[in-house]
Amino acid sequence: MNNNLIIGTAGHVDHGKSALIRALTGIETDRLKQEKQRGITIELGFAWFDLPDGRRAGIIDVPGHERFVKNMLAGAAGIDVVLLVVAADEGVMPQTREHLAILQLLGVETGIVVITKTDLVDEEMLELAEADIEEALAGTFLEQAPRVRVSVVTGQGLEELREILAHTVTAASPRPRRSFSRLPVDRVFVLKGFGTVITGTLLDGSLREGDQVLLMPGEITARVRQLQVHGNHVTEAEPGQRVAVNLAGIERQEIHRGQVLFKGQGLEPVDKIAGRFSLLPSAPTLASNTRIRFHSGSSETIGRAVVLGEDQVEPGSDGLVQFRLEEPVVAVRGDRYVIRSWSPVTTIGGGEIIEAGRHRLSRRKPEVVDSLLLREEGEPRSLVLSYLDEASRPLSRRQLLTRAHLAPAELDQALTELADQVLSFQAEGEDWHFSQGAQ
């Protein structure tokens, strides 16, 4: 059972996502004046849902309008369970499909389909909408997901949805454990009497009051003055929680969405990301050196896609790609990413990060592709040996943690098992390791 969960909404604009969250939780997620005036969500909204066992699940309400998909992406990266919302009077719409594609690319595996505004249609119209949904979800992770008819006006289906939601979140997959603490910043503001506050989903590790932390990129230091989870003061936050962090020693203007709050070792900003890339069937062929928009965590960065081993990636297929970015990002092997086209701006694909680094990979060398394929498997011993062989020189324990993104215990176990292939020694107060095969 996953102890801390994030529930996220997805769906077309004006299909009732925020109204649904308000009906489930009593919390208004549209907080901006412009949102209230226009009746649509522009920025990310946050709430929480009380589970029968006493736990609270965080909720992220994302915008549905096509102009705000990049805001949706900033919140979707932390979602464990999605509520795909489709209005009965309109059925599946363009952003329904784009949000569904994004969720698939981000590796979300669990969700519920909520058919809203059922009070506005008759049974025949409702059945047509359900047939439309059935067709759109065929072959996706939501194909067999529970479906609930809901009206926030009459209250129809709300109690059934609460019960299904409580059952679904307990079955969500647990998050991987890493050696560092990491929280992508999705909102920053100043609270009178407290100072600078950031919010985000704590993806890895824990945070405690008094912790010294870094904001990256930027290498800005700060101290955790106070923590809140779901509006309650806590002394420690855990992975999978929505956290508000009151920071000391840093000004509001030094922080922006896309940065990562970090504690520990084994992570650094990089401007080269290599990964398995899947191109959507609806997208045009991706030629090497195409300009793209790279989305990971809460960040959006411009860059170019360099296809490795091939000239291009065809629609509906996948390949190995290195993204050469104009600005550094903080990302980890195993993170999911989404690619949007430069212009016009639409979602074209995404995948999983294999390697985050700073050096360019040669497109034409077979050994580059072979190395990435080996690292894609993620087996600790193979990862460690691969990086040591590539370096052709000793690497410190810290350098191995940074490159392989393994937990310290995983690294130590791998080095123990590689004792006959890796030479280890101490120098300058650090442990160093060298592949004997690279001599």
Side-chain angles (χ1 to χ4, degrees), residues 63-140:
H65 197 286
E66 62 180 337
R67 287 175 54 196
F68 308 118
V69 170
K70 69 176 183 179
N71 294 347
M72 177 268 181
L73 278 160
I79 290 175
D80 297 298
V81 176
V82 67
L83 298 176
L84 182 68
V85 177
V86 183
D89 61 336
E90 288 194 328
V92 175
M93 298 291 282
Q95 257 52 63
T96 315
R97 297 183 187 279
E98 184 169 16
H99 283 199
L100 180 60
I102 288 169
L103 293 165
Q104 294 243 118
L105 293 169
L106 289 175
V108 179
E109 299 177 344
T110 309
I112 303 167
V113 181
V114 185
I115 306 165
T116 56
K117 303 189 179 185
T118 55
D119 56 291
L120 299 181
V121 300
D122 57 22
E123 184 64 26
E124 183 179 1
M125 187 75 172
L126 191 54
E127 289 177 358
L128 284 172
E130 289 179 334
D132 194 23
I133 292 168
E134 184 87 22
E135 181 181 354
L137 299 185
T140 74

Side-chain angles (χ1 to χ4, degrees), residues 155-400:
Q156 176 196 357
L158 287 174
E159 194 54 42
E160 180 187 1
L161 177 57
R162 288 189 184 97
E163 292 175 3
I164 292 174
L165 191 53
H167 173 75
T168 301
V169 296
T170 59
S173 301
R175 295 175 180 272
R177 294 279 176 170
R178 300 191 192 274
S179 60
F180 44 73
S181 303
R182 179 174 60 130
L183 182 146
V185 177
D186 54 38
R187 188 180 168 213
V188 54
F189 55 94
V190 174
L191 195 60
K192 189 175 181 179
F194 291 89
T196 304
V197 178
I198 65 166
T199 67
T201 301
L202 186 57
L203 299 183
D204 300 298
S206 62
L207 282 176
R208 298 179 181 85
E209 289 185 347
D211 278 346
Q212 295 295 320
V213 293
L214 278 176
L215 266 296
M216 300 192 301
E219 305 295 322
I220 305 165
T221 59
R223 178 176 58 83
V224 176
R225 177 185 285 150
Q226 194 176 88
L227 296 166
Q228 281 196 0
V229 174
H230 308 317
N232 296 322
H233 172 252
V234 297
T235 58
E236 182 176 358
E238 300 175 345
Q241 291 182 328
R242 285 290 312 171
V243 187
V245 187
N246 178 207
L247 293 172
I250 191 168
E251 299 297 324
R252 160 69 181 86
Q253 59 268 24
E254 297 180 87
I255 312 174
H256 58 82
R257 174 184 287 175
Q259 286 179 306
V260 170
L261 183 74
F262 173 72
K263 182 187 74 172
Q265 61 178 359
L267 201 57
E268 62 182 6
V270 298
D271 60 3
K272 309 291 189 302
I273 299 288
R276 172 70 59 183
F277 173 72
S278 297
L279 186 64
L280 295 177
S282 58
T285 297
L286 181 81
S288 196
N289 212 38
T290 298
R291 203 166 193 210
I292 51 87
R293 300 172 188 269
F294 180 89
H295 293 263
S296 176
S298 60
S299 68
E300 177 192 19
T301 310
I302 306 302
R304 293 190 181 274
V306 177
V307 182
L308 304 175
E310 303 287 345
D311 292 324
Q312 57 195 27
V313 180
E314 299 294 339
S317 66
D318 61 60
L320 294 175
V321 175
Q322 184 180 51
F323 301 98
R324 297 173 182 173
L325 309 177
E326 294 180 7
E327 296 179 357
V329 299
V330 179
V332 175
R333 179 180 57 82
D335 281 357
R336 309 290 297 202
Y337 65 89
V338 170
I339 300 299
R340 306 192 82 209
S341 53
W342 169 248
S343 181
V345 184
T346 57
T347 302
I348 60 170
E352 185 170 327
I353 294 173
I354 299 173
E355 182 176 276
R358 293 178 174 175
H359 65 283
R360 292 186 172 215
L361 299 178
S362 173
R363 290 188 56 216
R364 298 298 183 186
K365 289 184 178 179
E367 58 266 32
V368 169
V369 172
D370 292 343
S371 177
L372 284 177
L373 290 173
L374 180 68
R375 291 171 187 176
E376 186 176 23
E377 296 175 6
E379 199 277 318
R381 286 180 305 175
S382 298
L383 275 172
V384 170
L385 198 56
S386 170
Y387 283 109
L388 289 173
D389 284 342
E390 178 186 75
S392 298
R393 60 179 175 82
L395 293 179
S396 69
R397 187 172 186 275
R398 181 187 178 91
Q399 288 171 326
L400 277 173

